[in-house]
Amino acid sequence: MALADGHLPVLPLGADKRPLGNCPDCADLACGGRPNMKTPGPCVCPWPCHGWAAATTNPHVLASRQWGLAWRRARAIGYHPGGALVTVVDLDNPDAVTWARTTLPPTTTVTTTRGEHWIYRGAMRSANKVRPGVDIKSLMAYARWLGPGTGTIAALPPAVLALVEREESTPARAAVDSSAPTRWDRSVATGCRHTPAFVQTGLERGLDNIRAHPEQGAGTAAYGAARFLAARHTACPGPCGLDSIAELLIGAAVAVGVPASYARRCVTNGMNSALGAVA
């Protein structure tokens, strides 16, 4: 719950460090798959099926009866790096760690059983075996939670992007500030007339809709989410923390491949459309 509250989408892992198996209704993708998988489907299964795609920050899902049973079987916690807008460089042996220390910029580092996880701010396409002992875990992948690690997180560098085909990767936003808002709360919305639960529920639905379009349509989804969320606040005296909401929507769009400038334009236009329609 603490990890999810920090906007880290989590899921239970078994003793083999893999996600728990699908329920009978989801076997062989009979349900169609989770909405945010590469092939979107209508699955609304209450169990943690479909691996990384089931990872969530929703406290009601995490505390549900079905997930409670799964947590009792779990032996580790996994998380979806791309959903948290980070990339994990998984270094599986000492030689890979040595390579990283001589090639990559320092960042948050987590010790693993066989090597280290180097975590960078920004999401990109995941890929295994990009070089001996090195995997990239970000979008459409999961990693094992082994603690917060040490060191200050750095922006996703070109050296990591170059490990995967550059034209298919999603770089970190160039102007990301580590102090930029990562969540909406009452401290940035002192004039909002809505409860935090109301705002957070709408925001999560908007973010989920953006993440459900990894192939195409994420920009349109970001526009729609921004317009819908901004419209909820037209009767508030303000401020309502819309800047924080906008940054979260932009980050989600960038994480699924929308160029940062286009994502920002979609979200800005969506909010302006809602606010201007009432002016």
Side-chain angles (χ1 to χ4, degrees):
M1 285 295 191
L3 296 177
D5 188 54
H7 294 273
L8 197 69
V10 294
L11 72 155
L13 301 180
D16 58 359
K17 306 176 187 178
R18 300 177 62 186
L20 304 180
N22 291 351
C23 72
D25 291 338
C26 293
D28 299 319
L29 291 182
C31 63
R34 292 276 178 187
N36 59 342
M37 293 183 72
K38 187 172 184 179
T39 302
C43 177
V44 290
C45 174
W47 296 86
C49 295
H50 309 301
W52 67 267
T56 182
T57 60
N58 187 322
H60 301 294
V61 172
L62 294 172
S64 67
R65 181 184 67 84
Q66 292 86 349
W67 277 65
L69 294 172
W71 286 122
R72 292 186 183 94
R73 295 168 50 203
R75 294 297 177 268
I77 298 174
Y79 68 99
H80 177 210
L85 301 181
V86 299
T87 291
V88 177
V89 181
D90 186 4
L91 308 168
D92 276 342
N93 55 54
D95 288 342
V97 173
T98 299
W99 166 82
R101 290 175 179 172
T102 58
T103 306
L104 303 181
T107 189
T108 298
T109 303
V110 180
T111 300
T112 68
T113 306
R114 296 178 297 178
E116 294 178 350
H117 284 173
W118 285 36
I119 303 174
Y120 290 98
R121 186 177 65 250
M124 63 180 288
R125 187 170 72 87
S126 300
N128 292 326
K129 303 185 187 307
V130 293
R131 57 171 293 113
V134 180
D135 297 331
I136 303 296
K137 298 179 178 180
S138 187
L139 297 172
M140 300 184 186
Y142 73 93
R144 190 161 53 117
W145 173 258
L146 296 168
T150 59
T152 302
I153 192 168
L156 188 59
V160 173
L161 292 168
L163 295 172
V164 181
E165 292 111 343
R166 183 177 299 274
E167 65 275 11
E168 293 185 24
S169 63
T170 303
R173 283 177 280 155
V176 170
D177 183 339
S178 61
S179 63
T182 57
R183 61 177 299 169
W184 183 97
D185 59 39
R186 184 59 68 186
S187 66
V188 296
T190 55
C192 183
R193 65 186 180 89
H194 300 293
T195 65
F198 176 89
V199 176
Q200 195 63 43
T201 298
L203 175 58
E204 289 298 332
R205 288 176 179 172
L207 294 173
D208 286 344
N209 190 36
I210 294 170
R211 295 168 185 147
H213 295 81
E215 299 298 320
Q216 60 181 357
T220 300
Y223 173 90
R227 191 177 191 279
F228 174 83
L229 292 171
R232 307 281 77 75
H233 298 272
T234 53
C236 297
C240 292
L242 293 182
D243 288 345
S244 296
I245 291 175
E247 289 302 320
L248 290 166
L249 296 176
I250 292 166
V254 170
V256 294
V258 179
S261 59
Y262 181 64
R264 186 169 296 278
R265 188 161 64 250
C266 288
V267 171
T268 300
N269 289 344
M271 288 198 165
N272 289 341
S273 175
L275 298 175
V278 184

